[in-house]
Amino acid sequence: MKILVTGKNGQLARSLAVRAQGHDIEIVLAGRPEIDHANPSTFVSVLKSVAPHLVINAAAHTGVDQQEDEPQRAFRINAEAPAELARLTRLAAIPIIQVSTDYVFDGKSSEPYAETDKPNPQTVYGLSKLAGEQAVRSENPDHLVVRTAWVFSRYGRNFVKTILSAAQTRKRLQVVADQFGNPTEAHDLADGLLAAARFWREHQGFLQGLYHLAGQGRASWYEVARQILEISKAMGGPIADVEPIVGDQWVAKAPRPANSELNSERFAHDFGYRAGDWRDRVSSAVGNIIADSVTCHDIR
Ligand SMILES: NC(=O)c1ccc[n+]([C@@H]2O[C@H](COP(=O)([O-])OP(=O)(O)OC[C@H]3O[C@@H](n4cnc5c(N)ncnc54)[C@H](OP(=O)(O)O)[C@@H]3O)[C@@H](O)[C@H]2O)c1
């Protein structure tokens, strides 16, 4: 099975390429300039030349604060481009997986969010991603929308790298302790999407619709930061103290949900896959990032 994955330099795309190795799945990564979500006319020729069995749209404008200042660009990349990709895949009879976010919720629930809960995004990012979900759903009936959360990995930019990088230059870090979610390792997210792809191959069709897939266990940013620095210390990596602060003390353009925990039971039931526990996965990501930095002399 050949899968075209957009967002070739992103955490998820790179993880899909790694996790598909050794299986009978070929991942073709595409990104700028050959596929540019700001210019969806670039989609046609790539779809034609790759001729995939399935498309996973992992590209997105993920700069949550930046998007507050550029909503038009956010909607073009996160909503209009997925709409066009979904339309083209429907015309070519190709299914599509659209990856979305916990930030479609307002975070006011005290329970983990299920697929049946009503979204109420509070940011341009959340609004544009929700519009992307709706567009894919209406343009291509053979689709999955998979919402995930707090993605980290040894690749690209993420919270684990930010904390390790900050600890290289500062002795004391302040981290928000009253916002909760499910940290998700990108390899786990990739494994889940590959399980869904295999399901599609075996059944020649999806259980169409919406799924949540996030790491197991609830955490605050503060708890994650403590875990990162504990492991870093044990491995001889950067060291810093962490001070808990409340979300109101953290100046950011886009408000973050207080609780964006996702209930991933439906995905586990239908595709037989659960992501790993966040503590285990954060520990191994820290190990990998420190090992990588020994080679490239930097944690970015
Ligand atoms: N990261 C998270 O914490 C998180 C949480 C919830 C949901 N998600 C969702 O999960 C999916 C994968 O996220 P990720 O963490 O892998 O994101 P990521 O590491 O930020 O990667 C996003 C990719 O999208 C590409 N991209 C941005 N603008 C583009 C454009 N105009 N045309 C083509 N490609 C473009 C980027 O390309 P360049 O490398 O060239 O910039 C990058 O490779 C996204 O749908 C995201 O919304 C992520």
Side-chain angles (χ1 to χ4, degrees), residues 7 9-12 32 36-37 58-60 62 99-100 125 129 148 151:
N9 297 313
Q11 300 190 80
L12 174 57
R32 288 180 281 190
D36 186 348
H37 281 46
T62 51
V99 185
S100 193
Y125 175 64
K129 292 292 288 184
T148 191
V151 180

Side-chain angles (χ1 to χ4, degrees), residues 17-154:
V18 168
R19 301 304 280 186
Q21 277 168 20
H23 300 277
D24 53 350
I25 293 178
E26 180 190 353
I27 299 286
V28 179
L29 298 180
R32 288 180 281 190
E34 68 270 19
I35 270 200
D36 186 348
H37 281 46
N39 178 13
S41 66
T42 53
F43 295 163
V44 177
S45 64
V46 173
L47 278 172
K48 212 169 178 180
S49 64
V50 175
H53 300 104
L54 168 69
V55 171
I56 298 180
N57 184 31
H61 188 337
T62 51
V64 175
D65 291 317
Q66 192 188 343
Q67 288 173 58
E68 295 296 310
D69 292 329
E70 45 184 43
Q72 271 187 326
R73 184 170 165 75
F75 272 83
R76 188 169 325 125
I77 293 166
N78 292 343
E80 290 162 27
E84 179 62 3
L85 201 50
R87 189 183 73 83
L88 292 170
T89 49
R90 171 176 49 82
L91 292 176
I94 301 167
I96 183 167
I97 298 179
Q98 167 71 5
V99 185
S100 193
T101 173
D102 54 332
Y103 282 24
V104 298
F105 295 113
D106 61 21
K108 291 180 184 153
S109 172
S110 54
E111 296 296 316
Y113 285 96
E115 291 83 351
T116 46
D117 287 320
K118 200 172 177 310
N120 184 23
Q122 302 295 302
T123 57
V124 170
Y125 175 64
L127 285 162
S128 65
K129 292 292 288 184
L130 182 62
E133 292 183 7
Q134 289 161 345
V136 169
R137 192 158 50 235
S138 67
E139 291 292 347
N140 188 344
D142 205 3
H143 71 269
L144 282 189
V145 171
V146 180
R147 292 182 185 139
T148 191
W150 296 29
V151 180
F152 63 91
S153 66
R154 70 201 300 176

Side-chain angles (χ1 to χ4, degrees), residues 52 67 84 90 110 114 119 125 138 151 163 165 187 194 205 207 210 212 215 224 237 255 261 274 278 292 297:
Q67 288 173 58
E84 179 62 3
R90 171 176 49 82
S110 54
Y125 175 64
S138 67
V151 180
I163 291 294
S165 171
H187 282 170
L194 292 171
L207 300 181
L210 176 63
H212 291 173
V224 183
E261 206 184 342
R274 275 179 211 283
W278 74 264
D292 291 348
H297 310 291

